[in-house]
Amino acid sequence: MQKYFFLAGAMLFCCAAVHNAHAEARRVTLIYDEKATEVEAATMNAKDLWITKKDLAAATRFVVKPQGVCRDELCFPLPKARKAQFLNKQGKVEWFNLSEFARLIKQPTAFDDKHSIYYFGPRLDAQNAHLNSLEAPNFTLPDLNGKPHSLADFRGKKVLLITWASW
Amino acid sequence: MPGWQTLYAELKDKNFEIISVAQDTGGAKDAAPWITKANPQYTALIDETQIITRLYDMVNVPTAVWINEKGKIVRPNETAYVDNRYKVMHGLDATEYLNAIRDWASNGDKSAFVLSEDELKARLAPQQEDHAQASAEFALAEFLSHQGLAQDAIPHYKEAQRLNPDNWNYKRQAWALTNAEKDYGTNWGKEVQKLGTKPYYPPRKLKAEKH
């Protein structure tokens, strides 16, 4: 019985917080795919980043569809029983919990409270994809003159990739 | 760098390229003087967010990866010194390594130093959640550093170092950005001493072990 009271309490707290979220929205920096975007975030829980579906699409290119949260060919279905942990509608605005989504798809995150910066790294599956394919992960980086070079440009040649540092 | 240029001049007509990438948060400011001085003919790139460290899960410099004509990894991360200046630290002979590269440049995938798929998969370890988390903390620290928030980056560098203590890039880069003694209570020399008999660089096996 006690357990149910606790659950009910947690749900009340959660929904009360969600209710206030819109009024207290604030600007935060979201770094996704190494790109920083300023987004509006609901302040219900500093650890979890709730953003609007509009910002979700703009910052991550993920779109909420009936079959799941999708980007290009990739779709991640949301667990039916836990939908409320991912989606929340306040009036006309629909919010999405990007942190909960990161936990679902095993994506590392880091958070800086002082500067309100949320960093989302690559999914563990994406990071480890080359271990099966043995395909060298591609990259594009500048030379001294700022001219970009991609590993893919070197296809057809043997490449010795060496890292060094000034430190 | 001059050593790599010599090797490149020798092998560039064998469909062989060198891409060297500086893992430097300071970007061109820190890396350019070295590149300008060496003035290499091969491709020298600057990686101020250390994306190569993350993509290839590297833990120190210098580290090299061999990539074949099809874009496949044929030798994963390994310590790659071009000369024996620091041999006392790593115990690896540069001549043997350079000869292995020469063999590969001439023989391609038929080289005895090109690893089999099984051997490659045995050597390539999947990144686990704690190391992925470390790389996220490091990336956030890098972002703060680039915003000029050097002091605010420190807790995130420390967290990256705690989560992946074997990654020397996370340590050496962070220590170089501010005052290591004051901000981290340590320095490179002290940390190398602490290793005791543990190797500073992972051991290198040039040829696959015969089973």
Side-chain angles (χ1 to χ4, degrees):
Chain A
M1 197 61 195
Q2 216 173 3
K3 195 169 127 195
Y4 290 102
F5 274 124
F6 172 75
L7 266 179
M11 280 168 78
L12 272 176
F13 173 76
C14 143
C15 300
V18 170
H19 188 70
N20 292 328
H22 188 56
E24 293 169 25
R26 64 204 168 110
R27 303 297 292 178
V28 303
T29 303
L30 163 60
I31 309 171
Y32 211 94
D33 296 326
E34 315 301 327
K35 191 183 95 208
T37 314
E38 296 293 310
V39 297
E40 197 183 350
T43 53
M44 46 193 174
N45 169 356
K47 280 240 145 182
D48 277 13
L49 178 63
W50 285 82
I51 57 173
T52 64
K53 279 189 181 176
K54 203 176 149 208
D55 277 342
L56 175 72
T60 74
R61 294 199 303 108
F62 273 106
V63 178
V64 183
K65 293 182 176 175
Q67 65 270 37
V69 183
C70 308
R71 176 161 86 171
D72 304 327
E73 305 298 294
L74 204 59
C75 257
F76 299 98
L78 297 178
K80 274 204 181 92
R82 298 206 292 122
K83 276 232 163 113
Q85 291 170 17
F86 295 89
L87 294 161
N88 191 279
K89 197 165 179 180
Q90 293 297 313
K92 281 186 180 164
V93 184
E94 290 185 278
W95 297 88
F96 182 76
N97 187 341
L98 195 60
S99 303
E100 190 64 29
F101 184 58
R103 288 189 281 273
L104 179 75
I105 64 175
K106 287 202 170 23
Q107 183 180 25
T109 60
F111 169 58
D112 188 84
D113 201 7
K114 186 173 170 189
H115 299 285
S116 298
I117 303 170
Y118 294 79
Y119 175 89
F120 290 75
R123 283 179 302 118
L124 210 49
D125 281 354
Q127 167 70 31
N128 288 329
H130 72 284
L131 304 190
N132 271 322
S133 69
L134 296 175
E135 186 124 350
N138 191 38
F139 54 84
T140 303
L141 290 168
D143 63 20
L144 261 191
N145 302 314
K147 186 186 166 203
H149 299 259
S150 295
L151 176 65
D153 304 339
F154 291 78
R155 194 57 64 88
K157 297 193 166 202
K158 291 174 282 270
V159 174
L160 179 70
L161 172 67
I162 319 168
T163 58
W164 65 283
S166 67
W167 27 264
Chain B
M1 270 191 146
W4 291 119
Q5 174 53 37
T6 307
L7 188 78
Y8 181 64
E10 179 190 329
L11 302 177
K12 68 180 164 58
D13 295 332
K14 296 188 173 180
N15 211 25
F16 171 84
E17 289 294 331
I18 293 178
I19 303 177
S20 96
V21 189
Q23 299 298 285
D24 268 299
T25 306
K29 176 174 66 63
D30 290 345
W34 299 78
I35 301 175
T36 308
K37 194 173 163 217
N39 193 25
Q41 287 174 284
Y42 55 78
T43 307
L45 307 179
I46 297 165
D47 182 6
E48 64 174 26
T49 62
Q50 306 198 27
I51 196 78
I52 302 298
T53 291
R54 200 262 284 159
L55 285 174
Y56 289 82
D57 209 13
M58 291 178 177
V59 296
N60 213 333
V61 291
T63 294
V65 179
W66 294 13
I67 300 162
N68 75 5
E69 294 89 337
K70 295 188 187 111
K72 299 267 183 179
I73 295 170
V74 292
R75 286 191 73 83
N77 294 356
E78 62 195 343
T79 308
Y81 273 103
V82 73
D83 55 42
N84 285 333
R85 263 181 301 170
Y86 303 103
K87 195 174 169 183
V88 61
M89 278 215 69
H90 50 79
L92 301 168
D93 182 46
T95 314
E96 275 178 34
Y97 186 61
L98 299 188
N99 283 339
I101 296 171
R102 288 186 178 100
D103 190 85
W104 176 47
S106 298
N107 300 310
D109 283 356
K110 292 196 181 87
S111 164
F113 299 98
V114 163
L115 302 177
S116 69
E117 205 160 296
D118 285 349
E119 179 68 20
L120 280 165
K121 286 185 177 169
R123 289 191 187 195
L124 284 160
Q127 191 176 76
Q128 304 298 322
E129 274 181 57
D130 53 345
H131 286 192
Q133 188 59 38
S135 116
E137 291 289 346
F138 185 76
L140 180 52
E142 294 276 279
F143 181 81
L144 289 165
S145 294
H146 290 141
Q147 304 289 311
L149 302 165
Q151 288 300 312
D152 294 339
I154 293 169
H156 298 289
Y157 280 125
K158 283 186 176 168
E159 186 62 0
Q161 295 165 355
R162 185 187 70 80
L163 290 162
N164 189 354
D166 293 331
N167 193 319
W168 286 92
N169 288 4
Y170 293 167
K171 296 179 187 175
R172 295 175 66 187
Q173 176 63 81
W175 296 336
L177 288 172
T178 59
N179 184 327
E181 290 283 357
K182 186 173 138 282
D183 297 325
Y184 296 87
T186 190
N187 62 40
W188 181 73
K190 282 185 191 166
E191 292 296 312
V192 171
Q193 285 255 302
K194 269 196 219 161
L195 283 174
T197 53
K198 231 181 125 191
Y200 175 61
Y201 287 105
R204 185 175 69 195
K205 280 187 293 179
L206 271 186
K207 282 195 188 173
E209 301 276 7
K210 295 269 187 296
H211 293 291

